[in-house]
Amino acid sequence: LLHHLIFALLFALLVATDIYLGSTSYAAFRIISKPLILIFLILYFLQYKKGIEDSISKHIFIALVFSFLGDIFLLFDHLSVLYFILGLGSFLGAHVFYAFGFYQQGATKVKFDFWFAAIFLSIYGVALYSSLYANLGSIKIPVAVYVLVILLMAIMAYKRKGNVSDSSFLFVFIGALSFILSDSVLAINKFLTPLPYTNFLVMGSYATAQYLI
């Protein structure tokens, strides 16, 4: 238990450092702090993945690697839209592998609440995409695909309900929702209107998502 607590504290310190750097004139140092967050998380996962089926742990590991690549690409998205597309593609890959991993743990029979969650998430996705659509320019289709995949990932996270422990279900589903929150804030800030405390909201919810998943 102690080593998990130590990791959580060090992870929180890393995230806080990255958020601080992003809000100061030292933002260039995020080229170090931001990748370290996922490197730290990947090493922790590899150390303590015992008890997770091999096929599922492979999907989660690949998702984390894609996330690491996405973090690096998005550090340079202010230079060219290409970096944004590469970052989007990397996180698309991450969500695909997360979704596959969650699907393998999913219940074979789903109840009414699953369909309610799926419909609610779908409505949210349509509403968000519709609000961004006019400002997406040449990346309308890539963004549409990304929205569909991240929603599918969250729906597959909910599908685990009843087939895993309550704590595992809650951690992963809240993590999936945190991912959606992070990407929503990022998209609204980039394509719709500037938001206050963007770096804090994006990185805080993103790091929470990765940690809980």
Side-chain angles (χ1 to χ4, degrees), residues 31-46:
I31 197 170
I32 298 172
S33 63
K34 192 175 182 184
L36 273 177
I37 293 172
L38 261 293
I39 290 173
F40 197 52
L41 196 59
I42 289 170
L43 292 175
Y44 177 80
F45 175 76
L46 291 175

Side-chain angles (χ1 to χ4, degrees), residues 67-130:
S67 297
F68 170 73
L69 294 174
D71 280 346
I72 293 176
F73 286 131
L74 290 182
L75 281 171
F76 304 100
D77 69 339
H78 60 284
L79 299 177
S80 168
V81 70
L82 175 62
Y83 289 109
F84 180 77
I85 294 295
L86 290 172
L88 196 72
S90 297
F91 279 110
L92 179 71
H95 295 317
V96 166
F97 280 96
Y98 273 139
F100 272 120
F102 300 157
Y103 176 78
Q104 288 180 291
Q105 294 180 306
T108 52
K109 292 183 179 180
V110 294
K111 298 180 180 179
F112 172 78
D113 60 313
F114 168 81
W115 296 111
F116 178 82
I119 291 170
F120 179 82
L121 287 167
S122 299
I123 291 171
Y124 174 79
V126 170
L128 177 65
Y129 183 74
S130 297

Side-chain angles (χ1 to χ4, degrees), residues 88 121-148 151 184 187-188 191-192:
L88 196 72
L121 287 167
S122 299
I123 291 171
Y124 174 79
V126 170
L128 177 65
Y129 183 74
S130 297
S131 67
L132 300 173
Y133 183 82
N135 299 318
L136 292 176
S138 62
I139 60 172
K140 288 183 174 67
I141 293 177
V143 171
V145 173
Y146 184 86
V147 170
L148 285 172
L151 290 174
S184 297
I188 291 170
F191 297 111
L192 199 57

